[in-house]
Amino acid sequence: MAKQLETICITTGPVEVGDYVTLNIGPIHPAMHGTLRVITKTDGETIVSAKPEIGYLHRGVEKLGENLTYSQFLPITDRLNYCSAICNNVAYEMAVEKLLGLQVPPKAQLIRMIMMELARIADHQVCVGILGVDLGALTPFFYLIIQREEIYEIFEWHHGARLTNSMGAIGGVEADLPERFHEKWPKLRDTIRKANDETDKLLTHNRIWMDRTIGVNAFCADDALNWGFTGPMLRACGVKRDLRKEEPYLMYDEVNFEIPTGKHGDVFDRYMVRMLEMEESVKIIDQAYALYKELPEDAPLMKKVPKIIKPPEGQIYHAIESPNGELGFFIKSDGSDKPYRIKIRPPCYMVYQAFEDLVKGEMISDLIACLSSLNVIAGELDR
Amino acid sequence: MADWQIDLIKVVFIWVWALLIAVVMTWVERRASAMMQDRLGPNRAGPFGLLQPLADGIKLFTKEDIIPERARKILFILGPPLFALPAFSAYAVVPFGDKIVLGGKEIILQVSDVNIGFLYVLALGAIGVYGMVIGGWASNSKYSILGGLRATAQLISYEVPMGLALLTIVLLYGTFSLREIVLQQQGTFLGFLPNWGFFKQPLGFIIFMVAAYAEANRVPFDLPECESELVTGYHTEYGSMRLGLYLFGEYVNMGTLAAITVSLFFGGWGLPYVDMSRFLGPVSYGIASFFVFFLKQAFFLFLFVWVRWTVPRFRYDQLMGLGWKALIPLGLINLFITALLVQLTT
Amino acid sequence: MKFQAIQGEGWLLTKAEQLINWGRSRSPWPFPYGTACCGIELMCALASGYDMARFGAERVAFTPRQCDVLIEAGTITKKMVPVLKRIYAQMAEPKWVIAVGACACSGGVFRTYSTQQGIGSVIPVDIYIPGCPPRPEGILYALLKLIDKIEADHPLYKQRPKLIEALEAYK
Amino acid sequence: MSLKDRVADILGKDLVALNEFRGDLCIEVPKGRIVQVLAKLKEEGGFDFLSDLFGVDNLDLYAKAAKKKKKSQEESEDTGETKGKESVQPRFEVIYLLLSLSTNERLQVMVRVPEDDLELPTVTGLWKAANWPEREVFDMFGIRFKGHPNLRRLLMWDEFQDHPLRKDYPLEGKGEERHLNYDIA
């Protein structure tokens, strides 16, 4: 049998002949979301080993950061996790602000919060939708995508871009919430809930969906912490940890929200955590919007920042809770107008390195389900 | 007209009909899925995009034909026709109408009333599998062979429950001929229910339906293709019209299975409670019976599409588990009970 | 004289070419080679709001054998270049390529050691879409432009010189 | 007891330097003792989560400092300083970002790695999370980690020669191309 399998016609890479069949999945494969690649050894359909290979989208962002000024690097951060670019923008802005030692005015903080939570919803919608597609249920994906378009509309009103937003600036945000946001938000809240509801009805209690997700790739909390998991992945394992609560930034300590957690860390728990988080995000936006309305209309949006930003020498690390988990920026400054070293700590980098542990002994179909539930975004994985 | 001429006309008619259903189904599938997903679907080729299948066909015909260097060439070429032709052939025993009187001659609307029609259908269904397996194996690609292996295991294990479900029908009606079975389903029983296989064998129908979805390679049982895992499964290496034949064969297969379902469980051409032959002329009765049959078939074809875009896909071991642990025991129990009832009542 | 229909623009051949072009332009099945940010916009273009399926570009298959249009959306790194070349080589003729976004066109903002500066130097590209990333409307517009291009093609003419040569030898 | 005192207490004489900036504490520890120090911090200090691990190349920083010093020296003509002390300063730094899950405190642990001895012991035994970051540091800076289970290039392809994040590597590269030879066996 093995002799017949020597060539791989579609994919590339070394081929081994032995008792196990080496199956190369990716970098171009429907479930690999662009540029991921896993080299698996399978015994029939069971996976004996799965070695992820990354770097197919390594664009040298960190090196680029060392050659651009602080403000110029902001648009580059969009291209990290392109599903929720705003979270990257705000994370970077906040890191530089920490380096400069300045506090952003409250109105800017609230606008950042609202936009970040919208981006979180958009990100989770893609993740859940793609998970459905990879398990064969295409229709929920379309319902969620329509909803995402509405969120994009708000982004477009606010800062003129759909996907790569480059929202705000170092020191605050440039523009107030758009006029139309005030009418749009109550409607949008209902439609987001409706889309989630439809997805929920189509998937959550579906017998096949339950069979495919419950108990698949279950992971225990100790291992997850040892592997450096953060975000929904860690929460699905039952650890109640969210940087919005643990190290509150912006004004997250003034709003009430729950941290949904799972129990077993399986695909179903990850799916449920993401679904519930969308609901929490809607709540956060509601409260942040109420706080926003209390502020006077001409409240400042920007802190005064010099045109050429030259932070003092020193090094800082600042992390926020992005949709995938802890997104941190380490910046070392040498006193010039360019950062001396920028290191990005992407959340899915740590998650994806545990991939072999996650899928060993499962079947090929589970590998696909697992990968989509991790929500690995190649842009921030390879940087 | 001589008998052979009539037979020829019937053969051509059923062939065109099967082709048409498959062609229209590719359009229906795309438009219906678009409808369910708040989209429009193809609407540029012809009115409502009705000519979309034609455009696809022209494109596939004029596309470069690639046979991978390391493929087994003869088998690679043999695969797609081996998949599509048995599905066509199975139409031969489908009674697509009652009878029509033309020129004083009574014509049965069925190409051939074989007295073992049942076995013929099952046998052809089993041959169709070879098209996939050979295609998958001959491509010499790992995704293809995985698809082919899945096809083998899946389709062969689902033949068994399907056979068990069909056996209950045979027990019930005491014949292998499809036409006989349809004739026996006319009228009512227990006073109000149509005399359909569905009402007499609900469990058998469910088993048959599940097995039919598995036979037709449709979601939730489309594991040999499985777009998100095996790229496109057994036909990963196929392009141009060879691919066209595979895609086409799938729809022909669906058409056959829908026709068989209608004949066995839903009274074929007959309407419930109404005997059309009483108030219709001999010619119009023949045509009407064909349309009734067609409408019933169309419903089941749409059901295929409906399910396809609603549910997720099974995993391989769950699929086998469902086949061997649930459907086969159920089928056996159903067979036993039916045998007992038939023995007691006759 | 005998071969006028082949040598000149005969009625039959022109009609046949029109028919083929009609078929090809109505069903450009895409190969969504989405590597980065533009992949998300490509996804939006395929989904409900914009619905690329209207133009027949519906059957999205990830096997190069079955696709007509390679939609390359996103950055191509130097590590990825051999893969892209191979995918393109595996596609069956006739094939077209759309380069979506600044990265695919020219490398975009990523003028770094690991990024390929535009895929045009690696594979032939038919349509370039600027933007970082382009809106779904941009992708649809590119598809329409590609359809125009296909309709203006001469699928039979390409082989005609060879055919004429063969027929001349026959005389 | 503040974090600073606690860390000083735990590490004792392993603590080479301590630096606080905007509330972020960065400690420097000797290169040979890094695994022991991190184990101690994990066991006694409660820093049970490795957030990240990365390298820094200080080549330009030292060059700049040397230039500045030279300039100031020329201006003041102070001959008391010994020249060339900067050149023996270790070129690379590797920084371990630690996090305490119970108290939410973060700590940067830094080791200096000289250019002539680019080797560090691996910490994959303490945290599995160090696996890929260590590979990345090797890929980007050329620092080898002794005992790492699979020390291969992570982001660049295997045949790549240089280490791109070093300061003497140009941003636009040296024109490397990747070629694959598919052997059709």
Side-chain angles (χ1 to χ4, degrees):
Chain A
M1 173 57 71
K3 269 266 178 282
Q4 295 299 332
L5 300 176
E6 274 176 26
T7 49
I8 305 176
C9 294
I10 291 293
T11 52
T12 64
V15 180
E16 284 172 40
V17 178
D19 288 329
Y20 302 127
V21 176
T22 307
L23 184 68
N24 181 9
I25 307 178
I28 292 303
H29 182 277
M32 289 295 147
H33 307 172
T35 52
L36 312 173
R37 178 183 176 195
V38 186
I39 301 161
T40 56
K41 267 193 193 148
T42 56
D43 179 9
E45 292 255 332
T46 314
I47 286 159
V48 181
S49 82
K51 300 249 179 292
E53 191 176 329
I54 67 169
Y56 285 95
L57 195 58
H58 175 60
R59 306 186 272 196
V61 168
E62 285 171 9
K63 183 94 179 168
L64 201 59
E66 294 169 10
N67 290 276
L68 296 174
T69 64
Y70 284 94
S71 304
Q72 281 173 340
F73 188 61
L74 181 61
I76 308 287
T77 57
D78 290 336
R79 279 92 185 155
L80 293 172
N81 182 349
Y82 32 75
C83 286
S84 54
I86 289 176
C87 293
N88 304 317
N89 299 150
V90 174
Y92 173 69
E93 283 159 12
M94 287 175 71
V96 179
E97 280 153 13
K98 185 176 175 184
L99 194 62
L100 289 166
L102 53 87
Q103 188 73 26
V104 183
K107 198 167 184 182
Q109 291 191 15
L110 287 170
I111 292 173
R112 277 181 182 180
M113 264 172 76
I114 291 171
M115 289 295 165
M116 265 169 80
E117 292 307 317
L118 280 174
R120 192 186 308 275
I121 294 171
D123 190 289
H124 284 342
Q125 280 177 336
V126 173
C127 179
V128 170
I130 293 283
L131 179 60
V133 170
D134 285 350
L135 294 187
L138 272 107
T139 308
F141 168 74
F142 288 93
Y143 294 155
L144 290 170
I145 281 281
I146 303 172
Q147 221 36 68
R148 260 182 106 236
E149 293 290 330
E150 309 265 309
I151 295 174
Y152 274 174
E153 212 162 73
I154 288 182
F155 290 169
E156 251 184 310
W157 291 342
H158 186 234
H159 35 259
R162 283 161 55 88
L163 190 69
T164 44
N165 309 86
S166 306
M167 193 201 82
I170 293 155
V173 289
E174 284 147 336
D176 205 346
L177 278 184
E179 282 290 304
R180 282 170 285 182
F181 180 83
H182 308 290
E183 303 155 23
K184 179 88 177 173
W185 169 241
K187 279 185 224 152
L188 182 64
R189 181 179 45 203
D190 295 342
T191 47
I192 287 173
R193 285 198 170 132
K194 199 177 143 225
N196 285 357
D197 218 41
E198 261 169 10
T199 314
D200 191 59
K201 274 183 203 155
L202 267 169
L203 297 180
T204 310
H205 294 290
N206 187 324
R207 188 69 235 175
I208 302 175
W209 180 263
M210 284 155 86
D211 278 351
R212 281 300 302 277
T213 53
I214 291 177
V216 173
N217 312 122
F219 214 55
C220 73
D222 286 348
D223 273 354
L225 288 173
N226 201 349
W227 274 113
F229 280 24
T230 46
M233 289 293 299
L234 185 63
R235 291 197 279 276
C237 299
V239 182
K240 204 165 187 168
R241 192 178 160 73
D242 190 322
L243 287 183
R244 289 175 291 178
K245 283 261 194 228
E246 308 288 336
E247 299 171 18
Y249 49 91
L250 296 176
M251 284 163 84
Y252 277 108
D253 44 355
E254 291 183 27
V255 292
N256 285 320
F257 61 99
E258 296 288 315
I259 306 172
T261 51
K263 253 186 194 159
H264 314 290
D266 54 5
V267 177
F268 186 77
D269 279 0
R270 290 171 212 158
Y271 157 77
M272 275 320 283
V273 164
R274 287 211 163 86
M275 289 296 278
L276 294 171
E277 262 182 33
M278 280 194 250
E279 196 59 32
E280 296 303 320
S281 288
V282 171
K283 274 189 216 163
I284 293 175
I285 299 174
D286 264 345
Q287 293 173 46
Y289 185 54
L291 284 173
Y292 167 88
K293 276 201 281 196
E294 282 170 21
L295 291 172
E297 207 142 281
D298 54 347
L301 288 170
M302 284 278 276
K303 202 83 178 187
K304 202 143 182 64
V305 179
K307 266 218 174 96
I308 295 165
I309 294 162
K310 278 193 181 180
E313 268 183 62
Q315 56 191 41
I316 56 104
Y317 175 79
H318 187 261
I320 66 158
E321 181 80 19
S322 88
N324 277 344
E326 178 183 328
L327 172 71
F329 277 83
F330 170 89
I331 304 179
K332 180 170 180 168
S333 156
D334 62 345
S336 72
D337 57 344
K338 290 172 185 167
Y340 186 73
R341 169 94 167 95
I342 282 191
K343 166 72 189 164
I344 301 149
R345 190 242 185 243
C348 56
Y349 185 65
M350 294 294 180
V351 174
Y352 194 43
Q353 62 173 324
F355 191 67
E356 182 163 12
D357 271 21
L358 278 165
V359 299
K360 217 172 193 172
E362 308 267 5
M363 304 187 93
I364 294 174
S365 313
D366 296 336
L367 182 143
I368 307 293
C370 174
L371 191 71
S372 349
S373 68
L374 298 184
N375 193 17
V376 180
I377 306 288
E380 65 172 356
L381 178 73
D382 298 344
R383 299 176 303 267
Chain B
M1 273 192 287
D3 277 355
W4 69 270
Q5 282 170 326
I6 293 169
D7 281 351
L8 193 69
I9 290 167
K10 278 198 284 196
V11 167
V12 169
F13 174 76
I14 201 102
W15 202 67
V16 170
W17 181 46
L19 267 175
L20 260 178
I21 282 182
V23 166
V24 172
M25 272 312 288
T26 61
W27 177 81
V28 168
E29 167 111 50
R30 292 165 81 163
R31 290 290 286 196
S33 70
M35 196 181 76
M36 288 173 207
Q37 296 160 352
D38 286 0
R39 296 189 288 125
L40 281 170
N43 60 359
R44 286 298 191 277
F48 306 107
L50 262 171
L51 297 179
Q52 187 63 43
L54 185 68
D56 286 345
I58 290 172
K59 186 205 72 181
L60 286 173
F61 258 116
T62 56
K63 199 112 172 104
E64 184 191 2
D65 178 27
I66 293 179
I67 299 178
E69 194 191 8
R70 300 191 59 78
R72 302 282 180 278
K73 284 195 184 55
I74 296 170
L75 290 178
F76 189 83
I77 294 167
L78 214 64
L82 205 59
F83 177 71
L85 286 180
F88 270 118
S89 315
Y91 264 106
V93 291
V94 172
F96 56 90
D98 194 357
K99 53 196 165 192
I100 192 166
V101 180
L102 282 177
K105 201 163 183 174
E106 197 172 88
I107 302 165
I108 297 167
L109 290 179
Q110 186 182 18
V111 172
S112 162
D113 185 12
V114 196
N115 56 3
I116 51 158
F118 246 94
L119 295 180
Y120 178 77
V121 170
L122 278 176
L124 284 174
I127 289 175
V129 182
Y130 286 99
M132 283 189 221
V133 180
I134 285 176
W137 185 77
S139 303
N140 205 356
S141 153
K142 289 186 184 179
Y143 290 127
S144 298
I145 198 146
L146 270 173
L149 290 174
R150 283 178 174 190
T152 327
Q154 171 187 330
L155 297 181
I156 286 174
S157 50
Y158 275 80
E159 287 282 308
V160 182
M162 195 182 211
L164 288 175
L166 292 182
L167 268 183
T168 56
I169 293 286
V170 174
L171 275 179
L172 212 60
Y173 297 114
T175 174
F176 275 109
S177 156
L178 287 169
R179 189 176 166 76
E180 281 290 309
I181 290 169
V182 174
L183 279 173
Q184 285 191 38
Q185 286 184 48
Q186 311 307 322
T188 54
F189 80 112
L190 294 177
F192 66 99
L193 280 176
N195 206 357
W196 288 356
F198 171 66
F199 294 105
K200 291 188 167 173
Q201 277 296 326
L203 190 59
F205 168 72
I206 290 166
I207 295 169
F208 177 81
M209 222 35 213
V210 173
Y213 276 79
E215 282 273 309
N217 263 325
R218 301 286 292 177
V219 165
F221 303 101
D222 70 334
L223 290 178
E225 256 184 76
C226 201
E227 280 131 26
S228 61
E229 287 155 33
L230 302 180
V231 190
T232 48
Y234 61 92
H235 58 66
T236 301
E237 293 292 326
Y238 282 90
S240 73
M241 205 52 210
R242 297 184 204 289
L243 168 73
L245 261 183
Y246 268 127
L247 299 181
F248 202 63
E250 196 184 316
Y251 289 102
V252 179
N253 218 345
M254 270 162 61
T256 318
L257 284 164
I260 304 273
T261 315
V262 171
S263 320
L264 293 181
F265 293 97
F266 286 87
W269 66 77
L271 273 180
Y273 313 119
V274 184
D275 191 358
M276 290 185 296
S277 60
R278 262 194 229 156
F279 50 86
L280 284 177
V283 177
S284 49
Y285 171 64
I287 294 168
S289 67
F290 169 68
F291 270 103
V292 169
F293 181 82
F294 173 72
L295 282 179
K296 287 178 181 173
Q297 191 192 7
F299 171 76
F300 280 98
L301 281 169
F302 188 75
L303 200 67
F304 272 107
V305 175
W306 195 354
V307 172
R308 163 81 178 82
W309 298 100
T310 311
V311 291
R313 173 186 299 129
F314 274 110
R315 198 169 65 206
Y316 182 63
D317 59 326
Q318 290 164 352
L319 176 94
M320 298 304 279
L322 180 71
W324 290 98
K325 290 183 200 153
L327 289 185
I328 291 179
L330 268 180
L332 282 171
I333 291 165
N334 190 33
L335 183 68
F336 179 72
I337 292 169
T338 316
L340 213 64
L341 285 176
V342 170
Q343 187 65 34
L344 289 176
T345 47
T346 49
Chain C
M1 285 300 279
K2 270 186 201 166
F3 314 121
Q4 199 178 23
I6 298 167
Q7 284 162 342
E9 294 280 313
W11 183 86
L12 193 69
L13 277 186
T14 327
K15 284 290 162 204
E17 274 190 340
Q18 274 177 11
L19 187 69
I20 292 170
N21 283 340
W22 177 84
R24 283 177 179 176
S25 63
R26 256 52 170 194
S27 99
W29 290 352
F31 182 100
Y33 198 109
T35 54
C37 334
C38 300
I40 304 287
E41 289 294 62
L42 178 62
M43 212 164 76
C44 291
L46 283 165
S48 307
Y50 297 92
D51 192 21
M52 227 154 96
R54 282 178 294 156
F55 309 104
E58 179 156 43
R59 193 175 180 281
V60 179
F62 275 80
T63 152
R65 307 263 190 238
Q66 304 174 0
C67 299
D68 310 298
V69 185
L70 177 69
I71 303 184
E72 206 293 298
T75 319
I76 290 293
T77 57
K78 285 179 180 168
K79 194 172 181 178
M80 187 66 112
V81 165
V83 182
L84 177 69
K85 278 184 189 166
R86 192 170 169 81
I87 294 276
Y88 182 74
Q90 282 174 337
M91 286 173 72
E93 289 282 352
K95 51 190 170 186
W96 297 276
V97 179
I98 298 178
V100 181
C103 292
C105 296
S106 67
V109 287
F110 299 104
R111 194 171 174 83
T112 56
Y113 54 91
S114 59
T115 316
Q116 180 71 26
Q117 300 300 310
I119 61 167
S121 55
V122 182
I123 54 171
V125 179
D126 292 270
I127 313 271
Y128 290 95
I129 315 176
C132 189
R135 297 176 57 92
E137 286 96 327
I139 298 171
L140 292 186
Y141 182 66
L143 193 73
L144 289 177
K145 282 278 158 203
L146 184 75
I147 288 171
D148 288 348
K149 183 172 176 168
I150 297 172
E151 278 177 346
D153 199 11
H154 293 284
L156 298 176
Y157 193 76
K158 272 177 199 154
Q159 284 104 35
R160 230 181 285 171
K162 265 187 190 169
L163 187 63
I164 291 164
E165 204 176 289
L167 289 167
E168 289 295 326
Y170 223 50
K171 275 179 188 171
Chain D
M1 200 155 67
S2 75
L3 175 65
K4 213 191 263 180
D5 300 336
R6 231 171 60 224
V7 168
D9 207 40
I10 293 164
L11 296 185
K13 64 181 190 329
D14 281 337
L15 187 67
V16 176
L18 194 145
N19 178 24
E20 196 170 359
F21 181 73
R22 308 271 192 227
D24 279 15
L25 195 65
C26 178
I27 56 170
E28 189 186 335
V29 298
K31 188 186 154 210
R33 302 260 308 148
I34 179 67
V35 179
Q36 289 88 331
V37 165
L38 288 175
K40 234 185 203 171
L41 283 170
K42 188 181 178 186
E43 298 301 324
E44 295 167 30
F47 288 98
D48 42 5
F49 189 88
L50 180 74
S51 189
D52 205 353
L53 187 169
F54 52 88
V56 178
D57 181 4
N58 280 331
L59 189 68
D60 282 6
L61 208 63
Y62 293 149
K64 210 173 131 192
K67 218 181 193 176
K68 222 180 197 174
K69 193 150 272 179
K70 213 173 172 185
K71 221 176 179 181
S72 63
Q73 267 176 10
E74 274 166 11
E75 277 167 13
S76 62
E77 286 184 11
D78 183 3
T79 49
E81 288 273 354
T82 47
K83 278 185 180 179
K85 199 183 175 185
E86 292 81 10
S87 60
V88 291
Q89 261 186 312
R91 178 175 166 183
F92 296 105
E93 290 171 5
V94 172
I95 296 177
Y96 299 78
L97 288 180
L98 301 187
L99 169 68
S100 162
L101 291 174
S102 47
T103 58
N104 285 318
E105 287 161 326
R106 290 179 189 271
L107 181 67
Q108 301 171 6
V109 181
M110 189 235 283
V111 255
R112 292 185 185 276
V113 185
E115 201 173 358
D116 50 355
D117 183 21
L118 289 172
E119 204 168 75
L120 269 181
T122 178
V123 294
T124 42
L126 289 175
W127 291 284
K128 286 178 183 169
N131 192 332
W132 277 10
E134 283 186 356
R135 276 177 72 183
E136 196 190 326
V137 171
F138 164 68
D139 190 353
M140 293 292 150
F141 295 96
I143 298 169
R144 301 190 159 273
F145 287 85
K146 215 172 162 187
H148 189 280
N150 180 21
L151 195 67
R152 276 172 47 233
R153 281 186 179 275
L154 182 72
L155 295 174
M156 306 306 287
W157 56 97
D158 284 338
E159 298 83 29
F160 194 78
Q161 292 295 331
D162 264 299
H163 300 288
L165 271 185
R166 288 186 177 187
K167 286 283 176 183
D168 50 2
Y169 185 84
L171 172 65
E172 290 177 30
K174 295 176 179 171
E176 292 93 344
E177 296 284 333
R178 187 186 185 208
H179 297 286
L180 273 186
N181 295 319
Y182 300 99
D183 32 297
I184 301 162

